[in-house]
Amino acid sequence: MDINLNLAFGLLLVKAFIMLFVIMDPSGNIPIFMALTKGMSERGRKKELNYAVLVATILLLLFAFLGKIILYVLGITTDSFMIAGGILLLFFSLDLLRGEHKYVDSGESGAGAGVGVGAVPLGTPLLAGPGAITAVMVIIKSYGIGMVLFAIFSAIIATRLVLGQSERIYLILGKVGSEVLSRVMGIIVAAIAIQFMGNGIRGMF
Protein backbone atom coordinates (compact mmCIF):
# COMPACT_ATOMS: atom_id res chain seq x y z
CA MET A 1 0.00 0.00 0.00
CA ASP A 2 2.79 2.40 0.93
CA ILE A 3 4.59 1.54 -2.29
CA ASN A 4 1.47 2.32 -4.31
CA LEU A 5 1.02 5.65 -2.49
CA ASN A 6 4.66 6.58 -3.03
CA LEU A 7 4.40 5.64 -6.69
CA ALA A 8 1.24 7.70 -7.12
CA PHE A 9 2.83 10.68 -5.38
CA GLY A 10 5.96 10.35 -7.51
CA LEU A 11 3.88 10.28 -10.68
CA LEU A 12 2.07 13.46 -9.59
CA LEU A 13 5.43 15.16 -9.04
CA VAL A 14 6.58 14.14 -12.50
CA LYS A 15 3.28 15.25 -14.05
CA ALA A 16 3.44 18.68 -12.39
CA PHE A 17 7.06 19.15 -13.48
CA ILE A 18 6.42 18.10 -17.07
CA MET A 19 3.33 20.27 -17.29
CA LEU A 20 5.20 23.44 -16.38
CA PHE A 21 8.48 22.55 -18.10
CA VAL A 22 6.77 21.84 -21.42
CA ILE A 23 4.84 25.10 -21.29
CA MET A 24 8.02 27.08 -20.52
CA ASP A 25 9.50 25.36 -23.61
CA PRO A 26 13.25 25.99 -23.02
CA SER A 27 14.29 23.88 -26.02
CA GLY A 28 11.98 25.84 -28.30
CA ASN A 29 13.36 29.07 -26.87
CA ILE A 30 16.99 28.17 -27.62
CA PRO A 31 17.00 29.86 -31.07
CA ILE A 32 15.37 32.95 -29.53
CA PHE A 33 17.88 33.04 -26.69
CA MET A 34 20.72 32.72 -29.18
CA ALA A 35 19.32 35.59 -31.28
CA LEU A 36 18.64 37.88 -28.33
CA THR A 37 22.12 37.41 -26.88
CA LYS A 38 23.92 37.55 -30.21
CA GLY A 39 27.27 39.31 -29.93
CA MET A 40 27.40 39.02 -26.14
CA SER A 41 30.33 37.55 -24.27
CA GLU A 42 29.81 34.25 -22.47
CA ARG A 43 29.73 36.14 -19.17
CA GLY A 44 27.12 38.57 -20.47
CA ARG A 45 24.98 35.75 -21.80
CA LYS A 46 25.07 33.95 -18.45
CA LYS A 47 24.17 37.20 -16.68
CA GLU A 48 21.09 37.72 -18.85
CA LEU A 49 20.08 34.09 -18.40
CA ASN A 50 20.34 34.44 -14.61
CA TYR A 51 18.17 37.57 -14.77
CA ALA A 52 15.62 35.70 -16.86
CA VAL A 53 15.49 32.77 -14.44
CA LEU A 54 15.16 35.11 -11.44
CA VAL A 55 12.33 37.13 -12.99
CA ALA A 56 10.48 33.98 -14.07
CA THR A 57 10.81 32.43 -10.60
CA ILE A 58 9.52 35.55 -8.82
CA LEU A 59 6.52 35.88 -11.15
CA LEU A 60 5.53 32.22 -10.87
CA LEU A 61 5.85 32.23 -7.07
CA LEU A 62 3.85 35.46 -6.90
CA PHE A 63 0.95 33.97 -8.81
CA ALA A 64 1.23 30.65 -6.96
CA PHE A 65 0.63 32.39 -3.62
CA LEU A 66 -1.58 35.32 -4.66
CA GLY A 67 -3.41 33.89 -7.66
CA LYS A 68 -6.29 32.50 -5.61
CA ILE A 69 -6.71 35.82 -3.79
CA ILE A 70 -6.78 37.66 -7.11
CA LEU A 71 -9.49 35.33 -8.39
CA TYR A 72 -11.51 35.79 -5.18
CA VAL A 73 -11.32 39.59 -5.38
CA LEU A 74 -12.46 39.47 -9.01
CA GLY A 75 -15.24 37.02 -8.19
CA ILE A 76 -13.91 34.32 -10.51
CA THR A 77 -14.25 30.64 -9.58
CA THR A 78 -11.27 28.35 -10.00
CA ASP A 79 -13.30 26.15 -12.36
CA SER A 80 -14.01 29.13 -14.61
CA PHE A 81 -10.32 29.98 -14.50
CA MET A 82 -9.39 26.43 -15.48
CA ILE A 83 -11.65 26.67 -18.55
CA ALA A 84 -10.29 30.09 -19.49
CA GLY A 85 -6.74 28.93 -18.77
CA GLY A 86 -7.27 25.86 -20.94
CA ILE A 87 -8.44 28.03 -23.83
CA LEU A 88 -5.42 30.31 -23.36
CA LEU A 89 -3.05 27.34 -23.30
CA LEU A 90 -4.70 25.98 -26.45
CA PHE A 91 -3.94 29.23 -28.29
CA PHE A 92 -0.42 29.10 -26.85
CA SER A 93 0.01 25.56 -28.18
CA LEU A 94 -1.12 26.72 -31.62
CA ASP A 95 1.64 29.35 -31.54
CA LEU A 96 4.16 26.61 -30.73
CA LEU A 97 2.83 24.43 -33.55
CA ARG A 98 3.09 27.33 -36.02
CA GLY A 99 6.53 28.29 -34.72
CA GLU A 100 5.43 31.79 -33.80
CA HIS A 101 7.23 33.88 -31.16
CA LYS A 102 5.42 37.20 -31.03
CA TYR A 103 7.55 38.96 -28.45
CA VAL A 104 10.97 38.47 -29.99
CA ASP A 105 13.36 41.00 -31.43
CA SER A 106 15.75 39.38 -33.86
CA GLY A 107 18.64 41.01 -32.00
CA GLU A 108 20.06 42.41 -35.22
CA SER A 109 18.69 45.96 -35.09
CA GLY A 110 21.93 47.46 -33.90
CA ALA A 111 25.04 47.10 -31.82
CA GLY A 112 23.11 47.51 -28.61
CA ALA A 113 20.50 44.93 -29.50
CA GLY A 114 20.20 42.16 -26.97
CA VAL A 115 21.34 44.28 -24.00
CA GLY A 116 19.10 43.92 -20.97
CA VAL A 117 16.95 41.15 -22.48
CA GLY A 118 17.13 38.93 -19.38
CA ALA A 119 14.03 40.33 -17.68
CA VAL A 120 12.04 41.10 -20.85
CA PRO A 121 11.39 39.21 -23.06
CA LEU A 122 13.34 36.19 -21.73
CA GLY A 123 12.08 36.16 -18.14
CA THR A 124 8.62 37.23 -19.22
CA PRO A 125 6.76 36.51 -21.43
CA LEU A 126 8.96 33.76 -22.91
CA LEU A 127 9.55 31.75 -19.71
CA ALA A 128 6.94 33.06 -17.26
CA GLY A 129 4.26 33.98 -19.75
CA PRO A 130 0.46 33.62 -19.55
CA GLY A 131 0.68 29.89 -20.19
CA ALA A 132 3.14 29.19 -17.35
CA ILE A 133 1.25 31.47 -14.94
CA THR A 134 -2.00 29.70 -15.78
CA ALA A 135 -0.38 26.30 -15.28
CA VAL A 136 0.97 27.32 -11.86
CA MET A 137 -2.46 28.46 -10.68
CA VAL A 138 -4.11 25.28 -11.95
CA ILE A 139 -1.45 23.04 -10.36
CA ILE A 140 -1.87 24.64 -6.94
CA LYS A 141 -5.65 24.32 -7.21
CA SER A 142 -5.43 20.67 -8.25
CA TYR A 143 -2.50 19.38 -6.19
CA GLY A 144 -1.64 21.91 -3.47
CA ILE A 145 1.19 24.24 -2.50
CA GLY A 146 3.90 21.59 -2.09
CA MET A 147 3.35 20.27 -5.58
CA VAL A 148 3.39 23.70 -7.21
CA LEU A 149 6.61 24.67 -5.41
CA PHE A 150 8.25 21.48 -6.63
CA ALA A 151 6.99 22.12 -10.16
CA ILE A 152 8.25 25.72 -10.20
CA PHE A 153 11.73 25.07 -8.83
CA SER A 154 12.34 21.84 -10.75
CA ALA A 155 11.13 23.39 -14.03
CA ILE A 156 13.22 26.53 -13.44
CA ILE A 157 16.37 24.50 -12.67
CA ALA A 158 15.82 22.30 -15.73
CA THR A 159 15.20 25.37 -17.90
CA ARG A 160 18.38 27.02 -16.58
CA LEU A 161 20.38 23.90 -17.40
CA VAL A 162 18.94 23.63 -20.91
CA LEU A 163 19.41 27.30 -21.82
CA GLY A 164 22.82 27.30 -20.14
CA GLN A 165 23.90 24.72 -22.72
CA SER A 166 22.06 26.45 -25.57
CA GLU A 167 25.10 26.76 -27.84
CA ARG A 168 25.93 23.06 -27.62
CA ILE A 169 22.30 21.96 -27.96
CA TYR A 170 21.78 24.31 -30.90
CA LEU A 171 24.84 22.87 -32.65
CA ILE A 172 23.49 19.34 -32.13
CA LEU A 173 19.84 19.99 -33.02
CA GLY A 174 20.24 22.90 -35.42
CA LYS A 175 17.44 25.34 -36.14
CA VAL A 176 15.27 22.68 -37.76
CA GLY A 177 15.68 20.24 -34.87
CA SER A 178 14.82 22.92 -32.31
CA GLU A 179 11.72 23.90 -34.25
CA VAL A 180 10.59 20.28 -34.58
CA LEU A 181 11.00 19.75 -30.84
CA SER A 182 8.99 22.91 -30.20
CA ARG A 183 6.18 21.55 -32.42
CA VAL A 184 6.08 18.29 -30.46
CA MET A 185 5.83 20.25 -27.22
CA GLY A 186 3.00 22.24 -28.80
CA ILE A 187 1.01 19.03 -29.20
CA ILE A 188 1.63 18.14 -25.54
CA VAL A 189 0.51 21.62 -24.41
CA ALA A 190 -2.66 21.26 -26.52
CA ALA A 191 -3.48 17.99 -24.75
CA ILE A 192 -2.89 19.62 -21.35
CA ALA A 193 -5.15 22.53 -22.36
CA ILE A 194 -8.00 20.20 -23.29
CA GLN A 195 -7.63 18.38 -19.98
CA PHE A 196 -7.80 21.72 -18.11
CA MET A 197 -11.00 22.67 -19.94
CA GLY A 198 -12.55 19.26 -19.29
CA ASN A 199 -11.77 19.45 -15.55
CA GLY A 200 -13.18 22.98 -15.34
CA ILE A 201 -16.40 22.02 -17.12
CA ARG A 202 -16.89 19.01 -14.84
CA GLY A 203 -16.30 21.22 -11.79
CA MET A 204 -18.93 23.72 -12.89
CA PHE A 205 -21.60 21.15 -13.67
Side-chain angles (χ1 to χ4, degrees):
M1 187 68 178
D2 290 338
I3 295 176
N4 291 334
L5 287 175
N6 291 335
L7 180 60
F9 181 71
L11 290 174
L12 284 178
L13 289 175
V14 172
K15 181 179 179 181
F17 160 71
I18 291 176
M19 187 184 301
L20 188 56
F21 180 74
V22 166
I23 292 170
M24 292 175 73
D25 190 24
S27 58
N29 283 323
I30 285 176
I32 303 172
F33 177 66
M34 296 289 292
L36 289 171
T37 57
K38 184 179 180 180
M40 287 186 181
S41 65
E42 184 177 351
R43 181 179 178 182
R45 183 171 288 171
K46 286 182 179 180
K47 181 180 178 181
E48 295 300 334
L49 178 54
N50 289 336
Y51 279 145
V53 167
L54 179 62
V55 168
T57 303
I58 291 173
L59 280 175
L60 294 179
L61 288 173
L62 183 66
F63 277 91
F65 286 103
L66 299 181
K68 190 172 182 179
I69 297 173
I70 294 171
L71 293 183
Y72 177 78
V73 170
L74 296 175
I76 301 172
T77 66
T78 51
D79 290 321
S80 297
F81 185 83
M82 287 185 76
I83 296 172
I87 294 172
L88 178 63
L89 289 178
L90 189 59
F91 282 116
F92 180 78
S93 71
L94 293 176
D95 285 344
L96 287 176
L97 290 169
R98 289 193 296 259
E100 294 183 359
H101 300 284
K102 298 179 180 178
Y103 302 98
V104 179
D105 183 350
S106 64
E108 299 175 355
S109 58
V115 177
V117 298
V120 179
L122 285 176
T124 183
L126 288 177
L127 297 183
I133 289 171
T134 299
V136 161
M137 294 178 68
V138 172
I139 290 171
I140 195 172
K141 190 263 181 183
S142 303
Y143 307 122
I145 187 67
M147 198 69 71
V148 81
L149 288 176
F150 173 82
I152 289 172
F153 286 109
S154 60
I156 285 290
I157 291 170
T159 296
R160 174 64 179 81
L161 291 174
V162 170
L163 291 180
Q165 298 297 316
S166 56
E167 288 188 70
R168 294 179 182 177
I169 295 173
Y170 192 71
L171 286 174
I172 295 171
L173 295 179
K175 184 175 181 180
V176 174
S178 297
E179 292 297 329
V180 169
L181 190 56
S182 182
R183 302 297 197 282
V184 173
M185 290 191 169
I187 296 173
I188 296 174
V189 172
I192 292 172
I194 292 171
Q195 183 180 13
F196 281 0
M197 288 187 281
N199 291 341
I201 291 170
R202 281 197 298 270
M204 291 184 71
F205 302 102

